[in-house]
Amino acid sequence: MLSHPDITPEMKQRIDEIIASHKDTPGAVIPVLRMCQDVVGYLPVELIDYISRGLNLPRSDVYGVATFYSLFSLTPRGRHTVRVCLGTACYVKGVKEAMDRIGRTYGIGSGETTDDRRFSLEAVRCLGACGLAPVMMVDQHTYGGIKPDQALEILEKYE
Amino acid sequence: MNQHRLDLMLCGGTGCHASGASEFKEALGAELERQNLDREIRIIETGCNGFCAVGPVMLVQPEGIFYQQLQPGDAEELVEEHFLKGRPVQRLLYKEPASKETIPIMDEIPFFANQMFRAMRNKGQIDPESIDEYIARDGYFGMARAVNELTPEEIIEEVKTSGLRGRGGAGFPAGVKWGFAAKAEGDIKYVLCNADEGDPGAFMDRSILEADPHAVLEGMIIAARAIGASRGYIYCRTEYPLAIDRLSLAIENARNYGLLGEDILGSGFDFDIDIYQGAGAFVCGEETALMRSIEGKRGMPRPRPPFPANKGLWDRPTVLNNVETMANVGQIILNGGEWYASVGTESSKGTKVFAMSGDVNNIGLVEVPMGITLRKMIFDIGGGIPKKRKFKAVQLGGPSGGCVPEKYLDTPVDYEEIAKVGAIMGSGGVIVMDEKTCMVDMARFFMDFIQDESCGKCTPCREGTRRILEILDKIASGHGTPGDIEILEDLCDVIKTSSLCGLGQTAPNPVLSTLRYFREEYDAHVYEKRCPAKRCAALLKFTVDPDKCKKCGMCYKVCPSGAITWQKKEVASIDREKCVQCLACYDACRYDAIE
């Protein structure tokens, strides 16, 4: 039913549990997509099809939701997600230079992943930490006051 | 409960966290234990204190002494000197930048002294994870009054008397909105809290949720009682994991205390709240889009009427208020609407929380009485502009707002007065900009944001914002042609009048307000191919003016690509081949010597 090189049998079991526990909840598609993405790391199209069958929803609906919200990714993600805040405060404080340097150093643009799946780079809207501008988040950790050189130094620590 | 000699209220907000609060907490805890003080002194991790600029910060209670910029290495001295010998550590206290005077007591620091705390009255004062501490500060008393003593009509009347207006941006009177929903017919009604704080530069909702989650729950329960709702949702951004954790815990504790769920306080009234996590879409801050999102659909707005008060979530009567609005409700019911309305202006009552950031000394969250002037807020509380630069403009209300130049700084904080000068109160983002900010670049930044977040449902917003961005790009890159500015004005007018929802209708505001006050900057870009603020890289020459250069070498030190040659007592020069146009030298030069 669901076969994809990035989805292991254990993952599939988790996915089935998630779908089963939300089957009859109206409006559950967003939480289900989120939880499934947490399991697999991203949402391959085959998985979206599988979810739509499981929730008994048209594929177009589920695909429509998955592509509308920026949280969902239909392509593989890196081991670490680098979120560079492009909110107003960070912008005023020159975050763009840091973003450009990261992009040039690792050869990726916003929304892209390095070939070795080490980093995914994302330009995000205000992280709500304007007091520390410019701000970058690597996975769940927030770094404030980043200059281009520091940003690169921080990233070196993540394998 | 154990009585403690001292409570150390350590800020655990996002700002202080990133500046190393948790490392400090660990060191302090170990030190207290080592000195056998851990039974008489306890550390409480609070929500955001607001003074993010000097984090990590800690308030020592009941003394009221305020420490700033704490590092793990400071723990030993603090415990030894202050907590054992009673001598506050001078070097860690706040120093007034201008007078160099040390101010030990938090309430006397100008940043705090000019504020008035209502929505944020518990921030940094209680442990946000303890329902008992919230109750000890009159928490849930307003709700108890609403449930046991007042009729729904009396609750709505009280909120109307308070003059409380929606703090999310539009400023619609909360009591009136509740009145509509109370009258609407429906088998089930909903109360929603909008915690999808998306405006770049606004973080007050996050802060309230992290510092005082019960205040939001209390407001929602009162709203539910007023309109007869039985279900509630808090729609929270997924980017706020700490807020979601604290809310979940608060909901669980409130249920255990019988303050949420079935038969609240034995009154027979049932109401329960769930958290709904957003999935990253700015437009979901719009009320109809938010409701579509909870229903599991693409978060797109729909035309109104019908208004959500009649047909909202799942087509049932629904009240939606934002976090800050909800956080005010409990105190209004407890102290009365007249108490709340005793502060403020004719049409705007109470207080408003602002998130101040950008080129200002005291970055952080401030809560001020309505009617205070922008000047007072930015210069007295905010401490003015750093690096001895000049104030240029302040952007109010995020991407839907506008900028206010120097000459209107005496405008009072009031929904109508701010609208008159071309900005909006909005959710309360205050981005201060100094003379080195290019207004064309700023407008371009906001338009880039808006066109990216436009949901695509209506054409004026989807296509129009993209066209505006293209023209701004063209102007900023030095390819502007005569007539571009006029086309911009036309486009703005069409988008404003014909878009479906608030996002589109306000999208042109940043362009309109920069055109209104800084048109000469647009002209300089278009006709002279010059960027007066020196931000638009394509219009810069990257050469050093030998007359202005003071030979200090600052540009040489900051250049990331080694493009600048400089020696002591020599004028610097830039190698255009190596230059990556990052503008670091422009920022670093204090003499405006780089052309």
Side-chain angles (χ1 to χ4, degrees):
Chain A
M1 278 271 283
L2 175 63
S3 85
H4 189 277
D6 286 341
I7 301 176
T8 62
E10 295 81 53
M11 288 179 182
K12 168 139 187 328
Q13 200 189 335
R14 275 292 299 135
I15 291 166
D16 286 334
E17 286 164 18
I18 293 166
I19 293 175
S21 63
H22 287 83
K23 220 174 162 48
D24 303 313
T25 319
V29 59
I30 295 173
V32 168
L33 285 172
R34 182 197 354 265
M35 286 182 236
C36 290
Q37 176 165 294
D38 285 346
V39 171
V40 181
Y42 70 107
L43 297 169
V45 173
E46 292 82 352
L47 176 57
I48 294 179
D49 284 350
Y50 189 74
I51 292 171
S52 69
R53 281 197 299 274
L55 293 177
N56 201 17
L57 289 169
R59 287 166 68 188
S60 56
D61 278 14
V62 181
Y63 186 80
V65 168
T67 50
F68 184 82
Y69 295 97
S70 62
L71 178 72
F72 302 124
S73 171
L74 274 62
T75 50
R77 317 265 322 159
R79 290 188 294 283
H80 305 288
T81 304
V82 182
R83 297 188 175 87
V84 180
C85 177
L86 291 194
T88 325
C90 292
Y91 192 80
V92 170
K93 294 263 182 180
V95 77
K96 222 168 122 231
E97 284 88 64
M99 177 83 184
D100 290 349
R101 282 282 287 288
I102 296 170
R104 269 206 305 275
T105 308
Y106 291 98
I108 44 174
S110 173
E112 293 175 359
T113 302
T114 54
D115 289 338
D116 58 3
R117 293 207 192 170
R118 183 174 168 200
F119 293 119
S120 290
L121 181 63
E122 283 178 13
V124 294
R125 303 311 181 188
C126 190
L127 289 166
C130 313
L132 305 166
V135 174
M136 162 175 100
M137 245 176 118
V138 184
D139 299 331
Q140 291 300 311
H141 200 95
T142 311
Y143 297 93
I146 49 154
K147 297 265 180 301
D149 287 340
Q150 284 166 302
L152 294 178
E153 262 170 49
I154 292 165
L155 291 186
E156 278 302 304
K157 288 189 288 188
Y158 291 85
E159 268 315 306
Chain B
M1 236 168 26
N2 254 348
Q3 282 297 323
H4 293 85
R5 180 164 68 87
L6 292 175
D7 281 339
L8 308 178
M9 317 302 290
L10 178 67
C11 176
T14 306
C16 288
H17 238 286
S19 348
S22 44
E23 288 81 4
F24 172 75
K25 185 183 175 188
E26 215 167 281
L28 186 64
E31 194 58 28
L32 288 174
E33 211 169 298
R34 198 173 70 85
Q35 299 273 20
N36 276 324
L37 291 171
D38 50 329
R39 285 174 166 270
E40 45 181 302
I41 300 176
R42 64 174 171 168
I43 307 171
I44 296 171
E45 199 174 311
T46 69
C48 179
N49 164 290
F51 207 174
C52 312
V54 296
V57 302
M58 182 172 83
L59 174 68
V60 182
Q61 290 287 43
E63 298 169 343
I65 289 176
F66 181 80
Y67 284 114
Q68 61 173 22
Q69 292 175 335
L70 295 163
Q71 296 305 317
D74 300 328
E76 195 181 332
E77 189 181 352
L78 266 177
V79 173
E80 183 75 27
E81 286 294 309
H82 185 167
F83 306 147
L84 275 175
K85 298 180 183 159
R87 293 191 294 238
V89 180
Q90 294 294 319
R91 63 177 182 87
L92 298 172
L93 297 173
Y94 177 80
K95 273 173 211 65
E96 178 60 29
S99 62
K100 306 274 179 239
E101 185 195 346
T102 302
I103 309 177
I105 305 292
M106 185 174 96
D107 294 343
E108 293 169 7
I109 296 171
F111 177 78
F112 297 101
N114 288 307
Q115 298 191 50
M116 176 184 272
F117 297 115
R118 284 189 174 177
M120 300 203 300
R121 71 190 184 96
N122 285 331
K123 63 148 202 184
Q125 303 283 345
I126 62 168
D127 176 354
E129 300 191 352
S130 159
I131 187 170
D132 294 324
E133 294 195 12
Y134 177 69
I135 293 171
R137 285 182 54 93
D138 296 344
Y140 289 113
F141 281 62
M143 185 273 268
R145 182 163 181 253
V147 170
N148 286 324
E149 294 172 27
L150 301 180
T151 64
E153 295 74 33
E154 285 168 335
I155 300 173
I156 291 171
E157 214 38 58
E158 204 71 77
V159 176
K160 280 185 186 166
T161 308
S162 75
L164 177 67
R165 295 171 66 172
R167 297 289 190 247
F172 192 80
V176 176
K177 194 193 265 186
W178 294 11
F180 290 147
K183 284 199 201 90
E185 300 278 333
D187 52 342
I188 178 168
K189 295 183 186 179
Y190 296 98
V191 167
L192 310 183
C193 176
N194 186 349
D196 192 47
E197 183 172 56
D199 278 5
F203 52 102
M204 63 284 293
D205 292 349
R206 166 184 206 150
S207 190
I208 293 172
L209 292 170
E210 289 178 4
D212 200 12
H214 286 286
V216 179
L217 302 187
E218 183 176 1
M220 288 180 73
I221 301 169
I222 295 170
R225 178 66 172 172
I227 69 161
S230 54
R231 296 284 309 157
Y233 290 99
I234 300 173
Y235 188 96
C236 187
R237 284 181 86 186
T238 189
E239 288 91 338
Y240 287 2
L242 183 61
I244 291 171
D245 285 352
R246 294 225 163 119
L247 273 174
S248 310
L249 183 68
I251 290 174
E252 198 186 308
N253 287 338
R255 280 185 194 140
N256 290 341
Y257 274 47
L259 302 169
L260 201 58
E262 286 177 17
D263 192 21
I264 293 173
L265 294 174
S267 63
F269 165 58
D270 304 336
F271 178 68
D272 209 350
I273 298 174
D274 278 315
I275 301 169
Y276 196 94
Q277 283 190 48
F282 178 71
V283 71
C284 286
E286 198 278 343
E287 58 177 6
T288 59
L290 185 150
M291 291 168 199
R292 289 296 88 85
S293 181
I294 296 183
E295 291 168 5
K297 302 188 182 117
R298 290 165 75 96
M300 288 185 174
R302 63 159 175 81
R304 294 170 300 183
F307 286 94
N310 293 307
K311 270 180 182 241
L313 185 61
W314 310 110
D315 282 338
R316 302 303 203 291
T318 304
V319 151
L320 172 82
N321 283 120
N322 104 314
V323 170
E324 193 190 333
T325 317
M326 289 294 188
N328 275 307
V329 170
Q331 289 296 300
I332 289 175
I333 298 300
L334 181 64
N335 300 321
E338 279 176 24
W339 163 80
Y340 192 81
S342 65
V343 167
T345 63
E346 191 57 39
S347 65
S348 309
K349 302 293 186 193
T351 58
K352 173 79 190 101
V353 183
F354 289 95
M356 210 165 4
S357 60
D359 301 316
V360 62
N361 275 314
N362 297 338
I363 287 168
L365 273 188
V366 303
E367 181 167 2
V368 293
M370 295 280 190
I372 189 175
T373 64
L374 293 172
R375 188 185 301 281
K376 198 162 166 88
M377 189 157 83
I378 294 165
F379 287 89
D380 290 0
I381 300 175
I385 316 297
K387 298 188 198 165
K388 293 185 180 161
R389 289 183 186 162
K390 274 208 283 288
F391 172 89
K392 182 167 189 176
V394 54
Q395 172 81 20
L396 296 177
S400 314
C403 64
V404 179
E406 165 89 39
K407 67 174 171 180
Y408 291 120
L409 268 185
D410 290 311
T411 305
V413 168
D414 171 293
Y415 286 95
E416 280 68 33
E417 293 296 322
I418 287 182
K420 267 188 219 160
V421 294
I424 60 168
M425 186 90 92
S427 52
V430 174
I431 316 277
V432 182
M433 293 177 270
D434 69 17
E435 54 192 330
K436 293 228 173 181
T437 312
C438 168
M439 300 320 274
V440 177
D441 187 51
M442 227 35 235
R444 209 199 70 80
F445 166 80
F446 282 117
M447 208 39 73
D448 183 42
F449 177 88
I450 288 293
Q451 70 87 24
D452 201 35
E453 294 293 344
S454 170
C455 78
K457 182 166 174 170
C458 73
T459 320
C461 174
R462 183 185 67 233
E463 303 297 329
T465 55
R466 178 150 288 218
R467 295 288 90 79
I468 291 189
L469 179 65
E470 282 170 4
I471 296 172
L472 291 174
D473 268 337
K474 190 177 151 205
I475 294 176
S477 63
H479 298 102
T481 44
D484 279 349
I485 299 176
E486 289 71 22
I487 296 175
L488 270 184
E489 285 175 317
D490 264 5
L491 265 173
C492 287
D493 189 45
V494 171
I495 297 169
K496 205 176 164 131
T497 47
S498 58
S499 290
L500 175 62
C501 81
L503 187 145
Q505 288 155 12
T506 59
N509 283 358
V511 178
L512 286 173
S513 79
T514 45
L515 269 173
R516 176 167 166 189
Y517 297 121
F518 298 97
R519 196 184 180 102
E520 70 283 359
E521 279 194 35
Y522 281 84
D523 288 341
H525 282 78
V526 172
Y527 298 103
E528 301 163 39
K529 307 287 178 240
R530 186 172 67 82
C531 174
K534 299 186 181 170
R535 287 307 306 178
C536 297
L539 299 177
L540 299 175
K541 291 191 232 131
F542 293 95
T543 53
V544 179
D545 181 343
D547 297 333
K548 286 186 184 167
C549 181
K550 295 272 195 277
K551 304 162 189 172
C552 68
M554 277 311 288
C555 54
Y556 168 76
K557 283 178 199 137
V558 297
C559 179
S561 60
I564 297 184
T565 37
W566 166 84
Q567 281 178 332
K568 269 187 185 162
K569 296 181 189 169
E570 295 275 334
V571 169
S573 69
I574 301 173
D575 179 352
R576 296 290 300 273
E577 291 283 301
K578 287 189 195 161
C579 174
V580 292
Q581 308 202 336
C582 70
L583 305 181
C585 50
Y586 281 87
D587 259 351
C589 181
R590 274 177 284 172
Y591 311 104
D592 200 21
I594 301 170
E595 289 295 319

